[in-house]
Amino acid sequence: MILKKIFEFTKTMSFVDAIPVTEHHYVKKVTFAQDQDVIEIVDNLTELKKCTFNRIKIPKFDFVTEGKTVIMNIQYIEGTVLDGKSLAFFKDIMWQDLVQSTNKIAPIAYDPGNFIMKDNTLYYIDLEDIRASTVQERTTKYNYFLEHINRKS
């Protein structure tokens, strides 16, 4: 169980061949109630580093732990959160590349706020919602999500 989430946005500037390069990141600190929750997310984040989801990208990230807190340094993707129109365009891609994924872990929450679109590329940004699950479990969650979205329309 998550006890607390804290977000901090950072901007770093470096020079490559005398040209300034600016990068934006956000630091997400997630504090858990149980040690087992920390172990699980660390295992998932470690596995995520090895995964690809075809057309859906995961921002670059690294992480450390401090007690029951996992601190993730995540590349900030400056783009647009999915809305109804873009969701309709991407829902088949989400189905094929996330729900039907053969990875050991995959996203299990399909809320539009978990996705950022930049330059016609879709990013999944809620890293702690990526965990071990079966295709059947993801299918159930995805279908529930679509029913919920359709009721709002």
Side-chain angles (χ1 to χ4, degrees):
M1 172 176 27
I2 294 174
L3 296 178
K4 178 171 61 172
K5 285 186 188 183
I6 298 173
F7 299 90
E8 299 169 354
F9 290 89
T10 62
K11 176 182 173 180
T12 58
M13 190 168 174
S14 59
F15 291 88
V16 176
D17 297 327
I19 298 171
V21 176
T22 303
E23 292 182 337
H24 296 87
H25 292 263
Y26 66 99
V27 177
K28 190 182 222 183
K29 297 178 182 179
V30 184
T31 303
F32 294 91
Q34 308 273 334
D35 289 334
Q36 185 57 41
D37 296 330
V38 176
I39 292 167
E40 182 180 326
I41 193 166
V42 166
D43 289 348
N44 292 341
L45 292 171
T46 301
E47 183 66 26
L48 181 58
K49 292 246 183 215
K50 304 177 213 169
C51 293
T52 60
F53 296 97
N54 300 323
R55 295 162 288 184
I56 298 176
K57 306 301 178 199
I58 303 296
K60 294 176 190 171
F61 70 95
D62 56 22
F63 65 94
V64 296
T65 60
E66 289 181 5
K68 292 182 183 174
T69 300
V70 177
I71 303 166
M72 296 171 269
N73 184 18
I74 304 168
Q75 173 190 19
Y76 177 72
I77 306 298
E78 191 170 338
T80 307
V81 175
L82 284 191
D83 59 17
K85 187 185 289 187
S86 55
L87 178 64
F89 178 78
F90 283 112
K91 73 178 188 174
D92 289 337
I93 292 171
M94 292 165 63
W95 170 259
Q96 293 164 5
D97 295 354
L98 298 181
V99 178
Q100 297 295 307
S101 173
T102 59
N103 291 310
K104 290 181 187 177
I105 61 170
I108 60 162
Y110 306 102
D111 185 89
N114 291 340
F115 296 90
I116 299 288
M117 183 175 53
K118 178 182 181 183
D119 301 328
N120 290 323
T121 300
L122 189 60
Y123 291 84
Y124 189 88
I125 61 168
D126 198 359
L127 303 186
E128 69 267 15
D129 273 339
I130 299 175
R131 58 183 71 152
S133 59
T134 66
V135 170
Q136 181 57 47
E137 289 168 329
R138 293 191 300 270
T139 298
T140 300
K141 288 182 180 281
Y142 184 75
N143 288 337
Y144 175 80
F145 160 72
L146 288 180
E147 289 171 20
H148 182 71
I149 290 294
N150 288 335
R151 276 190 232 139
K152 284 185 174 180
S153 306

